[in-house]
Coordinates of all heavy atoms in Angstrom, one line a residue:
M1 N 25.1 -25.7 13.7 CA 24.1 -25.4 12.8 C 22.6 -25.3 13.4 O 21.9 -24.4 13.1 CB 24.1 -26.3 11.6 CG 23.1 -26.1 10.5 SD 23.9 -24.8 9.5 CE 22.9 -25.1 8.1
V2 N 22.4 -26.2 14.3 CA 21.1 -26.2 14.9 C 21.0 -25.0 15.9 O 19.8 -24.4 15.9 CB 20.9 -27.5 15.7 CG1 19.7 -27.5 16.5 CG2 20.9 -28.7 14.8
W3 N 22.0 -24.5 16.5 CA 21.9 -23.4 17.3 C 21.5 -22.1 16.5 O 20.9 -21.2 17.1 CB 23.2 -23.2 18.1 CG 24.4 -22.8 17.3 CD1 25.2 -23.7 16.7 CD2 24.8 -21.5 17.0 NE1 26.2 -23.0 16.0 CE2 26.0 -21.7 16.1 CE3 24.4 -20.2 17.2 CZ2 26.6 -20.5 15.6 CZ3 25.1 -19.2 16.8 CH2 26.2 -19.3 15.9
I4 N 21.9 -22.0 15.3 CA 21.5 -20.8 14.4 C 20.0 -20.9 14.3 O 19.4 -19.8 14.3 CB 22.2 -20.9 13.1 CG1 23.8 -20.7 13.3 CG2 21.7 -19.9 12.2 CD1 24.6 -20.8 12.0
F5 N 19.4 -22.0 14.0 CA 18.0 -22.1 13.9 C 17.3 -21.7 15.1 O 16.3 -20.9 15.1 CB 17.6 -23.6 13.5 CG 16.1 -23.8 13.5 CD1 15.3 -23.3 12.4 CD2 15.5 -24.5 14.5 CE1 13.9 -23.5 12.4 CE2 14.2 -24.7 14.5 CZ 13.3 -24.2 13.5
F6 N 17.7 -22.2 16.3 CA 17.1 -21.8 17.6 C 17.3 -20.3 17.9 O 16.4 -19.6 18.4 CB 17.6 -22.6 18.7 CG 17.1 -24.0 18.7 CD1 18.0 -25.1 18.6 CD2 15.7 -24.3 18.7 CE1 17.5 -26.4 18.6 CE2 15.3 -25.7 18.7 CZ 16.1 -26.7 18.7
A7 N 18.4 -19.8 17.5 CA 18.6 -18.3 17.7 C 17.7 -17.5 16.8 O 17.1 -16.5 17.3 CB 20.1 -18.0 17.4
L8 N 17.4 -17.9 15.6 CA 16.6 -17.2 14.7 C 15.0 -17.3 15.2 O 14.3 -16.4 15.2 CB 16.6 -17.8 13.3 CG 17.9 -17.4 12.5 CD1 17.9 -18.1 11.1 CD2 17.9 -15.9 12.3
V9 N 14.7 -18.5 15.7 CA 13.4 -18.7 16.3 C 13.2 -17.8 17.5 O 12.2 -17.2 17.7 CB 13.1 -20.2 16.6 CG1 11.8 -20.3 17.4 CG2 13.0 -21.0 15.3
A10 N 14.2 -17.8 18.3 CA 14.2 -16.9 19.6 C 14.1 -15.4 19.1 O 13.3 -14.7 19.8 CB 15.4 -17.2 20.4
L11 N 14.8 -15.0 18.2 CA 14.8 -13.6 17.7 C 13.3 -13.4 17.1 O 12.8 -12.3 17.4 CB 15.8 -13.4 16.7 CG 15.8 -12.0 16.1 CD1 16.2 -11.0 17.1 CD2 16.8 -12.0 14.9
L12 N 12.8 -14.3 16.4 CA 11.4 -14.0 15.9 C 10.3 -14.0 17.0 O 9.4 -13.1 16.9 CB 11.0 -15.1 14.9 CG 11.7 -15.1 13.5 CD1 11.3 -16.3 12.7 CD2 11.3 -13.8 12.8
V13 N 10.5 -14.7 18.0 CA 9.6 -14.7 19.2 C 9.7 -13.3 19.9 O 8.7 -12.7 20.2 CB 9.8 -15.9 20.1 CG1 9.1 -15.7 21.4 CG2 9.5 -17.2 19.5
V14 N 10.9 -12.9 20.0 CA 11.2 -11.6 20.8 C 10.5 -10.4 19.9 O 9.9 -9.6 20.4 CB 12.6 -11.4 21.0 CG1 12.9 -9.9 21.5 CG2 13.2 -12.3 22.0
V15 N 10.8 -10.5 18.6 CA 10.2 -9.5 17.7 C 8.7 -9.5 17.7 O 8.0 -8.4 17.8 CB 10.7 -9.6 16.3 CG1 10.0 -8.8 15.3 CG2 12.2 -9.3 16.3
A16 N 8.1 -10.7 17.7 CA 6.6 -10.8 17.7 C 6.0 -10.3 19.0 O 5.1 -9.5 19.0 CB 6.2 -12.3 17.5
I17 N 6.7 -10.6 20.2 CA 6.2 -10.1 21.5 C 6.3 -8.6 21.5 O 5.4 -7.9 22.0 CB 7.0 -10.7 22.6 CG1 6.6 -12.2 22.7 CG2 6.7 -10.1 23.9 CD1 7.4 -13.1 23.7
A18 N 7.4 -8.0 21.1 CA 7.6 -6.6 21.0 C 6.6 -5.9 20.2 O 6.1 -4.8 20.5 CB 9.0 -6.3 20.6
A19 N 6.3 -6.5 19.1 CA 5.3 -5.9 18.2 C 3.9 -5.9 18.8 O 3.2 -5.0 18.6 CB 5.3 -6.6 16.8
A20 N 3.6 -7.0 19.5 CA 2.3 -7.1 20.2 C 2.2 -6.1 21.3 O 1.1 -5.5 21.4 CB 2.0 -8.5 20.7
V21 N 3.3 -5.9 22.1 CA 3.2 -5.0 23.2 C 3.1 -3.5 22.7 O 2.4 -2.7 23.3 CB 4.5 -5.2 24.1 CG1 4.7 -4.1 25.0 CG2 4.5 -6.5 24.7
T22 N 3.8 -3.2 21.6 CA 3.7 -1.8 21.1 C 2.5 -1.6 20.3 O 2.3 -0.4 19.9 CB 5.0 -1.5 20.2 OG1 5.0 -2.4 19.1 CG2 6.2 -1.6 21.0
G23 N 1.7 -2.6 20.0 CA 0.4 -2.4 19.3 C 0.6 -2.5 17.8 O -0.4 -2.2 17.1
R24 N 1.7 -2.9 17.3 CA 1.9 -3.1 15.9 C 1.2 -4.4 15.4 O 0.8 -4.5 14.2 CB 3.3 -3.1 15.5 CG 4.0 -1.8 15.9 CD 5.2 -1.6 15.0 NE 6.0 -0.5 15.5 CZ 5.8 0.8 15.0 NH1 4.9 1.0 14.1 NH2 6.5 1.8 15.4
I25 N 1.0 -5.3 16.2 CA 0.3 -6.6 15.9 C -0.9 -6.6 16.9 O -0.8 -6.5 18.1 CB 1.1 -7.8 16.0 CG1 2.2 -7.8 15.1 CG2 0.2 -9.1 15.9 CD1 3.2 -9.0 15.3
T26 N -2.1 -6.8 16.4 CA -3.3 -6.8 17.2 C -3.9 -8.2 17.1 O -3.8 -8.8 16.0 CB -4.3 -5.7 16.9 OG1 -4.7 -6.0 15.5 CG2 -3.8 -4.4 17.0
P27 N -4.6 -8.7 18.1 CA -5.2 -10.0 18.0 C -6.4 -10.0 17.1 O -6.8 -11.0 16.5 CB -5.7 -10.3 19.4 CG -5.7 -9.0 20.2 CD -4.7 -8.1 19.5
D28 N -7.0 -8.8 16.8 CA -8.1 -8.7 15.9 C -7.6 -8.3 14.4 O -7.1 -7.2 14.3 CB -9.1 -7.6 16.3 CG -10.3 -7.5 15.4 OD1 -10.5 -8.4 14.6 OD2 -11.0 -6.5 15.6
P29 N -7.6 -9.1 13.5 CA -7.1 -8.8 12.2 C -7.9 -7.7 11.4 O -7.4 -7.1 10.5 CB -7.1 -10.1 11.4 CG -8.2 -10.9 12.0 CD -8.1 -10.5 13.5
M30 N -9.1 -7.5 11.8 CA -10.0 -6.5 11.2 C -10.0 -5.3 12.1 O -10.7 -5.0 13.0 CB -11.5 -6.9 11.1 CG -11.6 -8.2 10.2 SD -11.2 -7.8 8.5 CE -12.6 -6.7 8.0
A31 N -8.9 -4.4 11.8 CA -8.8 -3.2 12.6 C -9.9 -2.2 12.3 O -10.6 -2.4 11.3 CB -7.5 -2.5 12.2
E32 N -10.2 -1.3 13.1 CA -11.1 -0.2 13.0 C -10.9 0.5 11.6 O -9.8 0.7 11.2 CB -11.1 0.8 14.1 CG -11.6 0.3 15.4 CD -13.1 -0.1 15.3 OE1 -13.9 0.7 14.7 OE2 -13.5 -1.2 15.8
A33 N -12.0 0.8 11.0 CA -11.9 1.5 9.6 C -11.4 2.9 9.8 O -11.7 3.6 10.7 CB -13.3 1.5 9.0
V34 N -10.6 3.3 8.8 CA -10.0 4.6 8.8 C -10.5 5.3 7.6 O -10.4 4.7 6.5 CB -8.5 4.6 8.9 CG1 -8.0 6.0 9.1 CG2 -8.0 3.7 10.0
S35 N -11.0 6.5 7.7 CA -11.5 7.2 6.5 C -10.4 8.2 6.0 O -9.9 9.0 6.8 CB -12.8 8.0 6.9 OG -13.2 8.6 5.7
S36 N -10.1 8.2 4.7 CA -9.1 9.2 4.2 C -9.9 10.4 3.6 O -9.3 11.3 3.2 CB -8.2 8.5 3.2 OG -9.0 8.0 2.1
A37 N -11.2 10.2 3.3 CA -12.0 11.3 2.8 C -13.1 11.7 3.8 O -13.7 10.9 4.4 CB -12.7 10.8 1.5
P38 N -13.3 13.0 4.0 CA -14.2 13.4 5.0 C -15.6 13.0 4.7 O -16.4 12.6 5.5 CB -14.1 14.9 5.1 CG -13.4 15.3 3.8 CD -12.6 14.1 3.3
D39 N -16.1 13.1 3.4 CA -17.4 12.7 3.0 C -17.3 12.1 1.6 O -17.4 12.9 0.6 CB -18.4 13.8 3.1 CG -19.7 13.4 2.7 OD1 -20.1 12.2 2.8 OD2 -20.6 14.3 2.5
P40 N -17.2 10.8 1.4 CA -17.1 10.3 0.1 C -18.4 10.1 -0.7 O -18.4 9.8 -1.8 CB -16.5 8.8 0.3 CG -17.0 8.5 1.7 CD -17.1 9.8 2.4
G41 N -19.5 10.4 0.0 CA -20.8 10.1 -0.5 C -21.4 11.3 -1.3 O -20.7 12.1 -1.8
L42 N -22.7 11.2 -1.3 CA -23.5 12.2 -2.1 C -23.6 13.5 -1.2 O -23.6 13.5 0.0 CB -24.8 11.7 -2.3 CG -24.9 10.5 -3.2 CD1 -26.3 9.8 -3.3 CD2 -24.4 10.8 -4.7
P43 N -23.8 14.6 -1.9 CA -24.0 15.9 -1.1 C -25.3 15.9 -0.4 O -26.3 15.1 -0.8 CB -24.0 17.0 -2.2 CG -24.2 16.3 -3.5 CD -23.8 14.9 -3.3
S44 N -25.5 16.6 0.7 CA -26.7 16.6 1.4 C -27.8 17.2 0.6 O -27.6 18.1 -0.3 CB -26.5 17.3 2.8 OG -26.2 18.6 2.5
G45 N -29.0 16.8 0.8 CA -30.1 17.4 0.1 C -30.3 16.7 -1.3 O -29.9 15.6 -1.5
D46 N -30.8 17.5 -2.3 CA -31.0 17.0 -3.6 C -29.6 16.9 -4.2 O -28.7 17.6 -4.0 CB -31.9 17.9 -4.5 CG -33.3 17.8 -4.0 OD1 -33.7 16.8 -3.4 OD2 -34.1 18.7 -4.4
F47 N -29.5 15.9 -5.2 CA -28.3 15.7 -5.9 C -28.6 15.4 -7.4 O -29.8 15.0 -7.7 CB -27.4 14.6 -5.2 CG -28.2 13.3 -5.0 CD1 -28.3 12.4 -6.0 CD2 -28.7 13.1 -3.8 CE1 -29.0 11.2 -5.7 CE2 -29.4 11.9 -3.5 CZ -29.5 10.9 -4.5
R48 N -27.6 15.5 -8.2 CA -27.8 15.3 -9.7 C -27.0 14.0 -10.1 O -26.2 13.5 -9.3 CB -27.4 16.5 -10.4 CG -28.0 17.8 -9.9 CD -27.6 19.0 -10.7 NE -27.7 18.8 -12.2 CZ -28.9 19.1 -12.8 NH1 -29.9 19.6 -12.2 NH2 -28.9 19.0 -14.1
A49 N -27.2 13.6 -11.3 CA -26.6 12.4 -11.8 C -25.0 12.5 -11.8 O -24.3 11.7 -11.5 CB -27.0 12.1 -13.2
E50 N -24.5 13.8 -12.1 CA -23.1 14.0 -12.0 C -22.5 13.9 -10.6 O -21.3 13.6 -10.4 CB -22.6 15.3 -12.7 CG -23.3 16.5 -12.2 CD -24.6 16.9 -13.0 OE1 -25.0 16.0 -13.9 OE2 -25.1 17.9 -12.8
D51 N -23.3 14.1 -9.6 CA -22.9 14.0 -8.2 C -22.7 12.5 -7.9 O -21.8 12.1 -7.1 CB -23.9 14.5 -7.2 CG -24.1 16.0 -7.3 OD1 -23.1 16.7 -7.6 OD2 -25.1 16.5 -7.1
V52 N -23.5 11.6 -8.5 CA -23.3 10.2 -8.3 C -22.1 9.8 -8.9 O -21.3 8.9 -8.4 CB -24.5 9.4 -8.8 CG1 -24.4 7.9 -8.7 CG2 -25.8 9.8 -8.1
D53 N -21.7 10.3 -10.1 CA -20.5 10.0 -10.8 C -19.2 10.4 -10.0 O -18.2 9.8 -10.2 CB -20.5 10.7 -12.2 CG -19.5 10.1 -13.1 OD1 -19.2 8.9 -13.0 OD2 -18.9 10.9 -13.9
A54 N -19.4 11.3 -9.1 CA -18.2 11.8 -8.3 C -18.0 11.1 -7.0 O -17.1 11.3 -6.3 CB -18.4 13.3 -8.1
V55 N -18.9 10.1 -6.7 CA -18.8 9.4 -5.4 C -17.5 8.5 -5.4 O -17.3 7.8 -6.4 CB -20.1 8.5 -5.2 CG1 -19.9 7.6 -4.0 CG2 -21.3 9.4 -5.0
R56 N -16.8 8.5 -4.4 CA -15.6 7.7 -4.2 C -15.6 7.2 -2.8 O -16.0 7.8 -1.8 CB -14.3 8.5 -4.3 CG -14.2 9.2 -5.7 CD -13.9 8.1 -6.8 NE -13.8 8.6 -8.1 CZ -14.8 8.7 -9.0 NH1 -15.9 8.2 -8.7 NH2 -14.5 9.1 -10.2
F57 N -15.3 5.9 -2.7 CA -15.3 5.2 -1.4 C -13.8 4.8 -1.0 O -13.0 4.7 -1.8 CB -16.0 3.8 -1.5 CG -17.5 4.1 -1.9 CD1 -17.9 3.8 -3.1 CD2 -18.4 4.6 -0.9 CE1 -19.3 3.9 -3.4 CE2 -19.7 4.7 -1.3 CZ -20.2 4.4 -2.6
D58 N -13.6 4.8 0.3 CA -12.4 4.4 0.8 C -12.2 2.9 0.6 O -13.3 2.1 0.6 CB -12.2 4.7 2.3 CG -12.0 6.1 2.7 OD1 -11.5 6.8 1.8 OD2 -12.5 6.5 3.8
T59 N -11.1 2.4 0.3 CA -11.0 0.9 0.2 C -10.7 0.3 1.6 O -10.1 0.9 2.5 CB -9.8 0.5 -0.8 OG1 -8.6 1.2 -0.4 CG2 -10.2 1.0 -2.2
A60 N -11.0 -0.9 1.7 CA -10.9 -1.7 3.0 C -10.2 -3.0 2.6 O -10.0 -3.3 1.4 CB -12.2 -1.8 3.7
L61 N -10.0 -3.8 3.6 CA -9.4 -5.1 3.4 C -10.1 -6.0 2.4 O -9.4 -6.6 1.5 CB -9.3 -5.9 4.7 CG -8.7 -7.2 4.7 CD1 -7.2 -7.1 4.3 CD2 -8.8 -8.0 6.0
R62 N -11.4 -6.0 2.3 CA -12.1 -6.8 1.4 C -12.9 -6.0 0.4 O -13.8 -6.5 -0.2 CB -13.2 -7.6 2.2 CG -12.6 -8.6 3.2 CD -13.6 -9.4 3.9 NE -12.9 -10.2 4.9 CZ -13.5 -10.5 6.0 NH1 -14.7 -10.1 6.3 NH2 -12.8 -11.3 6.9
G63 N -12.4 -4.8 0.1 CA -13.0 -4.0 -1.0 C -13.3 -2.6 -0.5 O -12.4 -2.0 0.1
Y64 N -14.5 -2.1 -0.7 CA -14.9 -0.8 -0.3 C -15.5 -0.9 1.1 O -16.0 -1.9 1.6 CB -15.8 -0.2 -1.3 CG -15.3 0.0 -2.6 CD1 -15.6 -0.7 -3.7 CD2 -14.4 1.1 -2.8 CE1 -15.1 -0.5 -4.9 CE2 -13.8 1.4 -4.0 CZ -14.1 0.5 -5.0 OH -13.6 0.8 -6.3
R65 N -15.5 0.3 1.8 CA -16.1 0.3 3.1 C -17.6 0.1 3.0 O -18.2 0.9 2.4 CB -15.8 1.7 3.8 CG -14.3 1.9 4.0 CD -13.9 2.0 5.5 NE -15.0 2.5 6.4 CZ -15.0 3.7 6.9 NH1 -14.2 4.6 6.6 NH2 -16.0 4.0 7.8
M66 N -18.1 -0.9 3.7 CA -19.5 -1.3 3.5 C -20.5 -0.2 4.0 O -21.5 0.1 3.5 CB -19.7 -2.6 4.3 CG -21.1 -3.1 4.0 SD -21.5 -4.7 4.9 CE -20.0 -5.6 4.9
D67 N -20.1 0.5 5.2 CA -20.9 1.5 5.7 C -21.2 2.7 4.7 O -22.1 3.3 4.6 CB -20.4 2.0 7.0 CG -19.0 2.6 7.0 OD1 -18.2 2.2 6.2 OD2 -18.7 3.5 7.8
Q68 N -20.0 3.0 4.0 CA -20.1 4.1 3.0 C -21.0 3.7 1.8 O -21.8 4.5 1.4 CB -18.7 4.6 2.6 CG -17.9 5.2 3.5 CD -16.4 5.5 3.1 OE1 -16.0 5.0 2.1 NE2 -15.7 6.3 3.8
V69 N -20.7 2.5 1.3 CA -21.5 2.0 0.2 C -23.0 1.9 0.5 O -23.9 2.4 -0.2 CB -21.0 0.7 -0.3 CG1 -21.9 0.2 -1.4 CG2 -19.6 0.8 -0.8
D70 N -23.3 1.4 1.7 CA -24.7 1.3 2.2 C -25.4 2.6 2.3 O -26.5 2.7 1.9 CB -24.7 0.5 3.5 CG -24.4 -1.0 3.4 OD1 -24.4 -1.5 2.3 OD2 -24.2 -1.6 4.5
D71 N -24.7 3.6 2.8 CA -25.2 5.0 3.0 C -25.6 5.5 1.6 O -26.7 6.0 1.4 CB -24.3 5.9 3.7 CG -24.8 7.3 3.9 OD1 -26.0 7.4 4.4 OD2 -24.1 8.2 3.5
V72 N -24.7 5.4 0.6 CA -25.0 5.9 -0.7 C -26.1 5.2 -1.3 O -27.0 5.8 -1.9 CB -23.7 6.0 -1.6 CG1 -24.0 6.3 -3.0 CG2 -22.7 7.0 -1.1
L73 N -26.1 3.9 -1.3 CA -27.2 3.1 -1.9 C -28.6 3.5 -1.2 O -29.6 3.5 -1.9 CB -26.9 1.6 -1.8 CG -25.7 1.1 -2.6 CD1 -25.5 -0.4 -2.4 CD2 -26.1 1.4 -4.1
D74 N -28.6 3.6 0.1 CA -29.9 4.0 0.8 C -30.4 5.3 0.2 O -31.6 5.5 0.0 CB -29.7 4.1 2.3 CG -29.5 2.7 2.9 OD1 -29.8 1.7 2.2 OD2 -29.0 2.7 4.1
R75 N -29.5 6.3 0.1 CA -29.8 7.6 -0.3 C -30.3 7.6 -1.8 O -31.2 8.3 -2.2 CB -28.8 8.7 -0.2 CG -28.5 8.8 1.3 CD -27.6 10.0 1.6 NE -28.1 11.2 1.1 CZ -27.4 12.2 0.7 NH1 -26.1 12.1 0.7 NH2 -27.9 13.3 0.1
L76 N -29.6 6.8 -2.6 CA -30.1 6.7 -4.1 C -31.4 6.0 -4.2 O -32.3 6.5 -5.0 CB -29.0 5.8 -4.8 CG -27.7 6.5 -5.2 CD1 -26.7 5.5 -5.7 CD2 -28.0 7.6 -6.3
Q77 N -31.7 5.0 -3.3 CA -32.9 4.3 -3.4 C -34.1 5.3 -3.0 O -35.1 5.3 -3.5 CB -32.9 3.1 -2.5 CG -34.2 2.2 -2.5 CD -35.3 2.7 -1.6 OE1 -35.0 3.3 -0.6 NE2 -36.5 2.3 -1.9
Q78 N -33.8 6.1 -1.9 CA -34.8 7.0 -1.4 C -35.1 8.1 -2.6 O -36.2 8.4 -2.8 CB -34.3 7.7 -0.2 CG -35.3 8.7 0.4 CD -34.7 9.3 1.6 OE1 -33.5 9.4 1.8 NE2 -35.6 9.8 2.5
R79 N -34.1 8.6 -3.2 CA -34.2 9.6 -4.2 C -35.0 9.0 -5.5 O -35.9 9.7 -6.0 CB -32.9 10.1 -4.7 CG -32.9 11.2 -5.7 CD -33.5 12.5 -5.1 NE -33.4 13.4 -6.2 CZ -34.5 14.4 -6.4 NH1 -35.5 14.4 -5.6 NH2 -34.3 15.3 -7.4
I80 N -34.7 7.8 -5.8 CA -35.3 7.2 -6.9 C -36.9 7.0 -6.6 O -37.7 7.2 -7.4 CB -34.7 5.8 -7.4 CG1 -33.3 6.1 -8.0 CG2 -35.6 5.0 -8.3 CD1 -32.4 4.9 -8.2
A81 N -37.1 6.6 -5.4 CA -38.5 6.4 -4.9 C -39.2 7.8 -5.0 O -40.4 7.8 -5.4 CB -38.5 5.8 -3.5
E82 N -38.6 8.8 -4.6 CA -39.2 10.2 -4.6 C -39.5 10.6 -6.1 O -40.6 11.0 -6.4 CB -38.3 11.2 -4.0 CG -38.1 11.2 -2.6 CD -37.0 12.1 -2.0 OE1 -36.4 12.8 -2.8 OE2 -36.8 12.1 -0.8
L83 N -38.5 10.3 -7.0 CA -38.8 10.7 -8.4 C -39.9 9.8 -9.0 O -40.7 10.3 -9.8 CB -37.4 10.5 -9.1 CG -36.4 11.5 -8.8 CD1 -35.0 11.1 -9.5 CD2 -36.8 12.9 -9.2
E84 N -39.9 8.5 -8.7 CA -40.9 7.7 -9.2 C -42.3 8.1 -8.7 O -43.3 8.1 -9.5 CB -40.7 6.2 -8.8 CG -39.5 5.6 -9.6 CD -39.2 4.2 -9.1 OE1 -39.7 3.8 -8.0 OE2 -38.5 3.5 -9.8
S85 N -42.4 8.5 -7.5 CA -43.8 8.8 -7.0 C -44.2 10.2 -7.5 O -45.4 10.4 -7.7 CB -43.7 8.8 -5.4 OG -42.9 9.8 -5.0
A86 N -43.3 11.0 -7.8 CA -43.6 12.3 -8.4 C -44.1 12.2 -9.8 O -45.0 13.1 -10.3 CB -42.4 13.3 -8.4
H87 N -43.6 11.2 -10.5 CA -44.0 11.1 -12.0 C -45.0 9.9 -12.2 O -45.3 9.6 -13.3 CB -42.7 10.9 -12.8 CG -41.8 12.0 -12.8 ND1 -42.1 13.3 -12.4 CD2 -40.5 12.2 -13.2 CE1 -41.1 14.1 -12.5 NE2 -40.1 13.4 -13.0
E88 N -45.4 9.3 -11.2 CA -46.3 8.2 -11.3 C -47.7 8.6 -11.5 O -48.2 9.5 -10.8 CB -46.2 7.3 -10.1 CG -47.0 6.0 -10.1 CD -46.7 5.2 -8.9 OE1 -45.7 4.5 -8.8 OE2 -47.7 5.2 -8.1
P89 N -48.4 8.2 -12.6 CA -49.7 8.6 -12.9 C -50.7 8.1 -11.8 O -50.4 7.1 -11.1 CB -50.1 8.0 -14.2 CG -49.0 6.9 -14.5 CD -47.9 7.2 -13.6
A90 N -51.8 8.8 -11.6 CA -52.7 8.4 -10.5 C -53.4 7.0 -11.0 O -53.7 6.9 -12.1 CB -53.8 9.5 -10.4
R91 N -53.5 6.1 -10.1 CA -54.2 4.8 -10.3 C -55.5 4.7 -9.4 O -55.5 5.2 -8.3 CB -53.2 3.7 -9.9 CG -52.0 3.6 -10.8 CD -51.1 2.4 -10.4 NE -50.0 2.3 -11.3 CZ -49.8 1.3 -12.2 NH1 -50.8 0.5 -12.3 NH2 -48.7 1.3 -12.9
T92 N -56.4 4.0 -10.0 CA -57.6 3.7 -9.2 C -57.4 2.3 -8.6 O -56.4 1.6 -8.8 CB -58.8 3.7 -10.0 OG1 -58.7 2.7 -11.0 CG2 -59.1 5.1 -10.6
D93 N -58.3 1.9 -7.8 CA -58.2 0.5 -7.1 C -58.2 -0.6 -8.1 O -57.8 -1.7 -7.9 CB -59.4 0.3 -6.1 CG -59.2 1.2 -4.9 OD1 -58.0 1.6 -4.6 OD2 -60.2 1.6 -4.2
D94 N -58.9 -0.4 -9.3 CA -58.9 -1.5 -10.3 C -57.6 -1.5 -11.1 O -57.5 -2.4 -12.0 CB -60.1 -1.4 -11.2 CG -60.2 -0.1 -12.0 OD1 -59.2 0.8 -11.8 OD2 -61.1 0.2 -12.8
G95 N -56.7 -0.6 -10.9 CA -55.4 -0.7 -11.6 C -55.4 0.1 -12.9 O -54.4 0.2 -13.6
A96 N -56.5 0.8 -13.2 CA -56.6 1.5 -14.5 C -55.9 2.8 -14.3 O -56.0 3.5 -13.2 CB -58.1 1.7 -14.9
H97 N -55.3 3.4 -15.4 CA -54.6 4.7 -15.3 C -55.6 5.8 -15.6 O -56.5 5.6 -16.5 CB -53.5 4.8 -16.4 CG -52.3 3.9 -16.2 ND1 -51.4 4.3 -15.4 CD2 -52.0 2.7 -16.6 CE1 -50.4 3.3 -15.3 NE2 -50.8 2.3 -16.1
H98 N -55.5 6.9 -14.8 CA -56.4 8.0 -15.1 C -55.5 9.3 -15.1 O -54.8 9.5 -14.1 CB -57.5 8.2 -14.0 CG -58.5 7.1 -14.0 ND1 -59.5 7.0 -14.8 CD2 -58.5 6.0 -13.1 CE1 -60.2 5.9 -14.6 NE2 -59.6 5.2 -13.5
D99 N -55.5 10.0 -16.2 CA -54.7 11.2 -16.2 C -55.4 12.4 -16.1 O -56.4 12.7 -16.3 CB -53.9 11.2 -17.7 CG -53.0 10.1 -17.8 OD1 -52.2 9.8 -16.9 OD2 -52.9 9.5 -18.9

């Protein structure tokens, strides 16, 4: 009965070594990110609210791909800042509004 256990352990060791040699098992559990969508983010240039609704991210081990999310958030922040500055009333140094 003990020899069956040792045979199974030996078989598992051989399979693990073969998987490591062929690249099926890597020492780094966080493999390189793979993208299934060519551009999941916003269109280049100006975009509209419905473009934001169409954004889709690839999923990764711990959720969404951080680089894709960061890129979209950076572009959204920049666009919101542009819109705010275009519609912001002129201010003087004392903080009073002048139209």
Side-chain angles (χ1 to χ4, degrees):
M1 183 79 158
V2 174
W3 66 271
I4 293 175
F5 174 74
F6 286 122
L8 287 175
V9 170
L11 180 64
L12 286 175
V13 168
V14 169
V15 168
I17 291 172
V21 168
T22 60
R24 299 206 186 269
I25 296 177
T26 60
D28 182 14
M30 296 295 289
E32 287 297 317
V34 187
S35 180
S36 61
D39 183 16
L42 297 169
S44 59
D46 288 343
F47 50 86
R48 304 179 56 85
E50 53 267 8
D51 295 327
V52 175
D53 195 34
V55 171
R56 297 292 178 263
F57 300 106
D58 290 331
T59 55
L61 181 62
R62 296 182 185 149
Y64 294 107
R65 296 246 332 258
M66 192 182 319
D67 60 329
Q68 292 176 346
V69 175
D70 288 345
D71 181 53
V72 169
L73 290 177
D74 288 344
R75 294 192 56 214
L76 283 171
Q77 186 274 334
Q78 182 181 27
R79 181 68 176 142
I80 289 169
E82 289 172 3
L83 292 172
E84 286 175 346
S85 66
H87 295 344
E88 188 175 281
R91 292 181 182 254
T92 61
D93 290 336
D94 62 0
H97 292 278
H98 295 282
D99 293 318

